Amino acid sequence: MLAQNAQAQARLDAQYEASLAGIPVGKGTWAVEIGDDQYGAAAQGGTAGLLKSFSQGSGTGSVQGRVVNGALVGQSYQASTTTGKKSEQIRINLQNGTVKDFAIEPTPPVDPDRIPVTDAHKRGVLDPMTASLVRVPGNGELLSPDSCRGAAPVFDGRMRYELKLDYKRMENVKADKGYRGPALVCAIYFTPVAGYIPDRPVIKYLAQARNMEIFFVPIAGTRVLVPFKMVIPTPLGTAMLEATSFITQAAPHVAKTQ
């Protein structure tokens, strides 16, 4: 469900394919709508190909928020995942970067090894979906090394972590349908802060990974960059998420009438 009656300035409709070591493992869609004072984004995906015969998995996520002086400020985020017979729903409500309330259903068991999330960890944060939209301030070049310099403090309902970007290079990308052109390639670094279990191998692996990359391209008519492709080397081969269709359009700007 996207931002209703937002004065849509721009919209993105994208389809992605996930692969591991070159084998397709999942597919998903992502829609983003950015208006004058509101924005919305919704994603859904599931396992595909060989993986589907082993484990059926799917997930959806969405966010609604406000556009404040050009910045994207999330208000309500929800995500649900289903694997096999297990389902989980996460809901987060935010106000100006502070988590007002959040819930995970069903309530996860308490794990004494999990580093507790404090109230301080829930201030000055972004939801995971807003964190994936990079807004470039000012009016200079969008795809410049400076656009890769940010850090995002993220709270996903369970874990508080930092995502830091660093400039790597420029590359040309081409979707089967839609966007073809330059992409800004950033290194991405993951630092867990709270809400995680330190001994978990996947957490250790991601925190130590120094060769993850994310390719950003712009949504037409905005100063917002979105991921076109993501590359994560793993012990089982390279995991990749890449847009197969990436259709972005700027709506003609209509003056509001009284």
Side-chain angles (χ1 to χ4, degrees):
M1 201 44 207
L2 293 189
Q4 285 167 326
N5 63 37
Q7 286 288 104
Q9 281 179 289
R11 187 181 164 92
L12 163 71
D13 287 286
Q15 294 173 9
Y16 292 84
E17 190 165 280
S19 60
L20 181 60
I23 298 163
V25 292
K27 281 188 170 159
T29 62
W30 197 22
V32 182
E33 212 164 84
I34 297 175
D36 286 341
D37 50 14
Q38 295 177 35
Y39 73 98
Q44 54 189 21
T47 47
L50 189 63
L51 201 62
K52 210 165 189 167
S53 50
F54 291 110
S55 66
Q56 200 75 6
S58 64
T60 63
S62 66
V63 67
Q64 301 278 334
R66 291 182 311 131
V67 179
V68 183
N69 300 324
L72 304 176
V73 182
Q75 290 178 304
S76 63
Y77 167 84
Q78 50 196 24
S80 66
T81 51
T82 303
T83 44
K85 294 193 170 76
K86 270 176 63 176
S87 273
E88 180 179 85
Q89 282 197 311
I90 292 178
R91 197 175 37 70
I92 308 173
N93 289 313
L94 302 111
Q95 190 167 22
N96 301 325
T98 295
V99 176
K100 287 197 298 186
D101 58 77
F102 73 99
I104 302 178
E105 286 160 17
T107 307
V110 175
D111 192 315
D113 295 331
R114 195 178 289 281
I115 292 174
V117 175
T118 66
D119 283 347
H121 290 138
K122 290 181 266 180
R123 287 196 284 272
V125 294
L126 299 167
D127 64 87
M129 201 166 275
T130 302
S132 64
L133 304 168
V134 173
R135 191 211 163 232
V136 182
N139 50 15
E141 175 58 45
L142 268 180
L143 297 175
S144 80
D146 283 347
S147 304
C148 258
R149 302 266 188 257
V154 186
F155 178 66
D156 66 5
R158 178 175 268 124
M159 190 158 80
R160 166 76 173 79
Y161 54 92
E162 300 275 333
L163 293 176
K164 188 177 174 298
L165 297 176
D166 224 340
Y167 175 71
K168 283 193 94 169
R169 63 186 184 279
M170 293 296 297
E171 241 184 69
N172 277 316
V173 294
K174 191 169 99 178
D176 297 340
K177 201 171 158 194
Y179 187 85
R180 53 181 58 195
L184 178 68
V185 185
C186 307
I188 184 163
Y189 304 111
F190 166 84
T191 307
V193 175
Y196 67 101
I197 297 167
D199 279 349
R200 286 267 161 93
V202 66
I203 295 285
K204 285 183 175 173
Y205 183 83
L206 289 172
Q208 287 162 6
R210 288 292 168 268
N211 43 8
M212 298 189 290
E213 292 182 348
I214 192 158
F215 292 57
F216 285 105
V217 302
I219 294 183
T222 72
R223 295 194 62 77
V224 174
L225 304 178
V226 294
F228 181 91
K229 178 175 167 180
M230 196 164 170
V231 181
I232 303 175
T234 80
L236 302 171
T238 301
M240 197 170 349
L241 182 71
E242 186 168 16
T244 51
S245 170
F246 196 94
I247 297 165
T248 158
Q249 53 201 13
H253 209 80
V254 181
K256 289 184 183 175
T257 53
Q258 292 301 317

